[in-house]
């Protein structure tokens, strides 16, 4: 609890970091503190931590107004950002390779530099009307990013914001900053219908993957139950087979109360 500040990129690229606990003394955190930590999926915090909150690998402040970052080890494919989030840190989603779809908060003011850099699985994203600026290399190397909708409220897009996004198509209103950016950077503009078709395809793929995962989980559970039942049956059969067999003749003579029968002295493990 003595540590109060964790600086920028303090634990970045720690490939073997799998567990992390943060004490209640933390007052502030920098950007990209855990970027590039593929095994880190969660942060251990006290239930009533005064400044931090972590849910499903998303680390934010206790008020849920600022998102520090989404941990690489969370392996999430879809992230629905809380509507309370107003700001996100630089490198917030850096290197989240499994992330395919993101629903941004309607209160978000800016997409800062390097926010989604190297999210190579990202396929589609809609920028909310609350956003006014997209920073440098915000979506750098999002090589599978197919479509993005940028509203007229965005007044500034850094020229490197979409470097390395070879498949990108932009939906924008004619005459806006986003439309101008698309034309200057030879990015294919698309219509509302085309954009919706891409989104529908992406979401359908995610739903199919989710269903397959659930079916695999159910199948594994059933296989496990069947294996346990077979093991129990085998154990019962083994127990019956192991019962001692006596060649002594059966008599009608009563057994003395003072004599310990074999059953009475058998130890049950």
């Amino acid at each position: 609890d003595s540590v109060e500040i964790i600086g920028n990129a303090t634990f970045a690229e720690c490939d073997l970091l799998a567990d992390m606990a943060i004490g209640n003394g933390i007052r502030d955190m920098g950007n990209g503190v855990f970027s590039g930590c593929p095994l880190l999926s969660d942060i251990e915090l006290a239930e009533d931590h005064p400044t931090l909150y972590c849910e499903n690998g998303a680390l934010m402040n206790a008020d849920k107004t600022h998102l520090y970052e989404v941990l690489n080890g969370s392996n999430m494919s879809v992230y629905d950002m809380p509507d309370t989030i107003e700001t996100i840190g630089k490198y917030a989603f850096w290197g989240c390779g499994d992330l395919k779809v993101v629903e941004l908060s309607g209160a978000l003011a800016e997409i800062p530099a390097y926010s989604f850099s190297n999210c190579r699985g990202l396929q589609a994203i809609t920028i909310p009307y609350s956003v006014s600026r997209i920073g440098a290399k915000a979506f750098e190397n999002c090589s599978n990013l197919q479509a993005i909708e940028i509203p007229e409220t965005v007044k500034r897009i850094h020229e490197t914001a979409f470097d390395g996004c070879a498949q990108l198509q932009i939906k924008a209103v004619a005459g806006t900053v986003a439309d101008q950016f698309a034309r200057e950077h030879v990015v294919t503009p698309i219509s509302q219908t085309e954009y919706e078709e891409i989104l529908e395809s992406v979401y359908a793929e995610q739903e199919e993957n989710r269903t397959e995962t659930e079916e695999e989980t159910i199948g594994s559970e059933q296989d496990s139950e069947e294996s346990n039942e077979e093991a129990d049956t085998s154990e019962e059969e083994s127990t019956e087979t192991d019962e001692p067999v006596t060649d002594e003749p059966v008599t009608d003579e009563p057994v003395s109360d003072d004599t310990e029968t074999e059953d009475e002295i058998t130890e049950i493990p």
Side-chain angles (χ1 to χ4, degrees):
D1 290 347
S2 60
V3 177
E4 297 184 355
I5 297 175
I6 302 178
N8 294 336
T10 299
F11 298 100
E13 305 294 340
C14 289
D15 294 343
L16 299 180
L17 181 62
D19 298 289
M20 172 63 64
I22 298 179
N24 287 356
I26 290 294
R27 294 185 293 102
D28 192 22
M29 288 184 61
N31 296 312
V33 172
F34 302 105
S35 293
C37 297
L39 300 181
L40 189 62
S41 61
D42 196 11
I43 302 292
E44 183 181 341
L45 301 170
E47 186 174 349
D48 57 347
H49 199 288
T51 58
L52 298 175
Y53 177 78
C54 190
E55 181 179 42
N56 298 326
L59 183 63
M60 58 196 84
N61 64 358
D63 294 334
K64 300 183 184 180
T65 57
H66 177 75
L67 177 69
Y68 288 104
E69 61 185 295
V70 172
L71 303 174
N72 287 177
S74 64
N75 297 325
M76 65 174 69
S77 59
V78 178
Y79 179 62
D80 190 358
M81 186 180 293
D83 290 335
T84 53
I85 297 293
E86 299 173 357
T87 57
I88 62 176
K90 293 180 180 179
Y91 304 94
F93 295 87
W94 190 95
C96 289
D98 293 321
L99 194 64
K100 291 181 171 58
V101 179
V102 176
E103 293 287 344
L104 296 175
S105 163
L108 190 64
E110 175 185 358
I111 311 293
Y114 302 96
S115 300
F116 293 90
S117 286
N118 297 311
C119 289
R120 301 183 188 278
L122 188 63
Q123 297 180 7
I125 189 168
T126 300
I127 307 299
Y129 281 88
S130 56
V131 172
S132 61
R133 183 172 181 263
I134 301 176
K137 298 185 180 296
F139 294 92
E140 177 191 32
N141 294 330
C142 291
S143 53
N144 282 301
L145 183 58
Q146 301 175 36
I148 186 169
E149 180 177 9
I150 305 177
E152 56 266 34
T153 54
V154 174
K155 301 303 182 183
R156 182 178 178 185
I157 303 175
H158 195 278
E159 62 179 0
T160 66
F162 297 97
D163 281 2
C165 299
Q167 301 186 52
L168 181 65
Q169 301 176 88
I170 293 179
K171 178 189 176 300
V173 177
T176 62
V177 169
D179 180 57
Q180 182 180 349
F181 177 91
R183 297 179 188 285
E184 290 178 354
H185 293 79
V186 197
V187 177
T188 305
I190 56 175
S191 67
Q192 176 68 29
T193 300
E194 291 172 321
Y195 180 73
E196 289 177 353
E197 287 176 351
I198 292 174
L199 280 185
E200 184 178 347
S201 174
V202 170
Y203 281 113
E205 180 183 346
Q206 294 311 303
E207 181 62 23
E208 182 179 347
N209 292 339
R210 185 186 64 80
T211 302
E212 289 179 356
T213 300
E214 290 178 350
E215 290 176 350
E216 289 175 359
T217 301
I218 293 173
S220 297
E221 291 176 350
Q222 290 176 342
D223 290 343
S224 178
E225 290 176 358
E226 290 175 359
S227 296
N228 290 336
E229 289 175 359
E230 290 176 359
D232 291 341
T233 301
S234 177
E235 183 177 349
E236 290 174 1
E237 292 175 351
S238 175
T239 301
E240 293 173 357
T241 303
D242 292 341
E243 290 181 355
V245 178
T246 177
D247 293 331
E248 295 179 3
V250 178
T251 67
D252 293 331
E253 296 179 2
V255 178
S256 171
D257 291 338
D258 296 331
T259 303
E260 291 182 323
T261 65
E262 184 175 357
D263 287 343
E264 291 174 334
I265 63 174
T266 300
E267 294 182 0
I268 300 176

